Amino acid sequence: MFGMGGKRTFWTRHSLNLSSCTGEPSKHLLGAKNLRNWILGGCTLLCAGAAHGTALSQPYATVGNWEVSADDRQRCAMMQLFESTVADETQVLGVVYDVQKGLVLSWASKKPKFLPPKGSLELDLAFLTGESSNETWDSQSFEYKKVAGTYYFNHVFADRNNVDRLLADLSSSEIVSLSLGPTLMMALPLDAADAVQKLRECAAQGNRAF
C-alpha cells in the first residue's frame, strides 16, 4: 500500500485486502438497530443549534448495502456496515447530510489500539478508482471518541463546494481511504452512486422525508 519511506503508491483491490469486507450487517460492533441513531445523533458539530434531546429517525431507502435514513431535524444519512472475517475489524462508514448546514463523514472501528479515549487526528482522505488515486483532499481534522471499545471519527464539511465535491467523489469512486501519515487506517469499497442520489433526494425533502 505504501512504498519505502512512507511514499504512497497506487492501490489495487488486492493490495487493500478488501475480500474480508462483506458489506453485510454486523451483529457485534454496535448492534444494527443502534447504528442509524449513532450516525444521525453523533454528529454534534453539524447539529449545533438544534434542540436538545434525541432525534427521531427512520429508514428512507435501502440501496444495495447502503441504508439511507431520515430524522426529524431535516438531516439524512447513508451508512453501511462492513463485517470482517478478522476479529475486531468490522467497520461502519456513514455520511450525514443537511442541505443548510453541510455534511459529516463518519467512520467507526475497533482497529485503532494506540489512541487516547478522545481527541482529533489529521487524516489523509483519498479516493481510488481503478489504478488511479485521488489524493487532492489532503489531510482533514477528524474528531474522535472511544465508546465501549469502538472509536467514532467525524469530520464536518461546511463549505458548499466541498460538500458537492465530496458527494461527487463518493458517487464516482470505488474506494475511500483514511491514512495517518504512512499508515493506512481505513480503505472501504463504496459502490455508492445510487445511494448518494437517494441521500440527495432525502435531504432535499427536509422534514417531508421523515
Side-chain angles (χ1 to χ4, degrees):
M1 298 171 216
F2 294 92
M4 295 297 292
K7 182 179 180 180
R8 293 193 184 90
T9 58
F10 288 132
W11 300 309
T12 66
R13 286 186 177 275
H14 297 292
S15 69
L16 289 172
N17 191 25
L18 296 177
S19 59
S20 64
C21 296
T22 66
E24 297 299 323
S26 167
K27 297 180 180 178
H28 58 265
L29 178 66
L30 299 171
K33 66 180 180 180
N34 294 324
L35 282 169
R36 186 167 64 251
N37 289 335
W38 167 69
I39 291 291
L40 282 164
C43 305
T44 56
L45 292 176
L46 183 64
C47 310
H52 292 294
T54 302
L56 301 176
S57 65
Q58 66 180 23
Y60 179 80
T62 299
V63 186
N65 291 319
W66 291 95
E67 179 184 327
V68 181
S69 304
D71 75 0
D72 59 349
R73 296 180 184 171
Q74 303 186 41
R75 296 169 300 179
C76 292
M78 54 182 276
M79 51 157 275
Q80 184 175 169
L81 290 83
F82 299 86
E83 187 168 20
S84 174
T85 56
V86 180
D88 289 340
E89 289 197 3
T90 293
Q91 302 173 71
V92 181
L93 183 64
V95 177
V96 180
Y97 183 33
D98 183 310
V99 172
Q100 301 300 321
K101 297 179 180 178
L103 179 149
V104 177
L105 180 64
S106 299
W107 170 53
S109 175
K110 291 187 176 183
K111 292 176 65 175
K113 304 296 184 183
F114 58 89
L115 298 177
K118 65 178 180 178
S120 63
L121 282 179
E122 292 290 326
L123 299 178
D124 293 330
L125 173 64
F127 292 90
L128 172 71
T129 301
E131 297 290 322
S132 300
S133 176
N134 173 5
E135 301 181 14
T136 58
W137 284 98
D138 297 323
S139 65
Q140 307 290 331
S141 180
F142 280 77
E143 301 290 328
Y144 71 85
K145 185 176 182 180
K146 184 179 183 181
V147 179
T150 299
Y151 285 93
Y152 305 93
F153 295 81
N154 291 316
H155 178 76
V156 178
F157 296 85
D159 179 78
R160 169 54 54 191
N161 291 333
N162 283 338
V163 169
D164 289 341
R165 180 182 163 208
L166 185 69
L167 289 173
D169 283 344
L170 288 168
S171 294
S172 62
S173 303
E174 295 179 0
I175 294 166
V176 60
S177 72
L178 292 174
S179 301
L180 180 62
T183 302
L184 185 66
M185 300 282 285
M186 170 271 274
L188 295 173
L190 289 170
D191 191 19
D194 292 339
V196 170
Q197 182 177 349
K198 279 294 182 182
L199 181 69
R200 287 182 180 273
E201 173 188 294
C202 174
Q205 295 183 42
N207 282 339
R208 292 175 296 160
F210 180 74

